[in-house]
Amino acid sequence: MTDRPTDWWSTFFTDVYTGSDLELRDTATAEAMVRCVTGALDPKPGATLLDLACGTGRHSVPLGAAGFDVTGVDLMEPYLAQARERAARAGQRVSFVQADMRDLSALPEGSFDAVVSLHTSFGFFDTDEENLAVLREIRGRLAPDGRLLIDVMNRDWFLTQSGESFGTAPQEFVVRNFDSSTGTTYLYEERFDAHTSRITWNIQAFDPASGTVGRSVTADYRVYSAHELTTLLTRAGLAPEGLYGDYDLSPFHVHSPHLICTAARPAEEE
């Protein structure tokens, strides 16, 4: 096995990633994700909403346009600069804050009616305790009866992928693919470790005209089955509610590509 990258998020979110991720350029998918949030959480107009790991604001800004008071949080300042520009172009007042999702103390406790974590922006850290800390930080920002929507890849669906898939070691499962729709060819390798339920995802740029291989970036994140995610939410003091399998809010099943879960912070006891 190759060495796992450490603090990979500080180097992964570059032009290699943004150039290769087709969903980032897919406005229809972004619109579906916003409808998913509004349909599943049904927040009242003017509700305060935290978009965690907001990136360049592709969800924050349309959620603001839908009538919510949105704050976007991300670790990467270059992304936040793009998000502010996106909001300005759209004429939307959205607040953007730089913070590590494991420490949201820059935001007032109990100040949000809803929190959303979209596009597999959870499970980044090395241990379940660190990932649990993220959920506890989310709980702390939610008002009593406030609700979370978390959207991650369904681990069980990933393991049904075939085609360019094969195992390289007894505990591993590897999926390789490529995309050349943008003029640059991107080579993808996703390596799943059954001992840890982690995916090491490598993206490499390749110029077919010159035959040269460019830069590559690597992510390493935890993926979850439904029972694991709901157990983690419960440990964080959140009450799981609905489970959905895609952005159209279709019911979750084992072959759903997404694991979308809603959970609430219970009202404080008297």
Side-chain angles (χ1 to χ4, degrees), residues 9-148:
W9 52 87
S10 64
T11 57
F12 180 77
F13 296 105
T14 66
D15 58 314
V16 176
Y17 165 67
T18 55
S20 69
D21 192 330
L22 299 181
E23 282 195 11
L24 293 179
R25 299 189 297 277
D26 184 353
T27 57
T29 298
E31 291 167 358
M33 294 164 97
V34 171
R35 289 194 299 271
C36 173
V37 170
T38 57
L41 298 183
D42 192 25
K44 297 177 181 178
T48 51
L49 186 146
L50 171 61
D51 183 6
L52 191 60
C54 66
T56 63
R58 70 187 182 116
H59 312 118
S60 305
V61 173
L63 284 167
F68 308 119
D69 181 0
V70 178
T71 299
V73 168
D74 203 275
L75 182 63
M76 308 302 292
E77 182 55 43
Y79 274 6
L80 293 173
Q82 294 179 54
R84 294 183 186 105
E85 291 175 2
R86 186 192 294 262
R89 288 194 304 270
Q92 294 299 317
R93 295 182 61 183
V94 179
S95 299
F96 292 101
V97 177
Q98 184 180 24
D100 187 310
M101 65 178 74
R102 291 168 293 184
D103 180 5
L104 299 177
S105 58
L107 303 171
E109 292 190 11
S111 58
F112 291 96
D113 299 309
V115 176
V116 295
S117 173
L118 299 167
H119 196 47
T120 310
S121 297
F122 178 75
F124 285 3
F125 305 110
D126 286 346
T127 67
D128 277 345
E129 289 305 313
E130 286 181 284
N131 292 316
L132 178 62
V134 174
L135 295 179
R136 286 177 171 152
E137 286 294 296
I138 289 172
R139 183 189 184 279
R141 299 323 116 190
L142 282 170
D145 290 324
R147 300 175 72 208
L148 164 69

Side-chain angles (χ1 to χ4, degrees), residues 164-184:
E164 298 298 320
S165 307
F166 53 91
T168 58
Q171 75 276 20
E172 289 187 314
F173 179 80
V174 177
V175 177
R176 292 189 174 100
N177 209 333
F178 72 96
D179 177 74
S180 55
S181 62
T182 63
T184 298

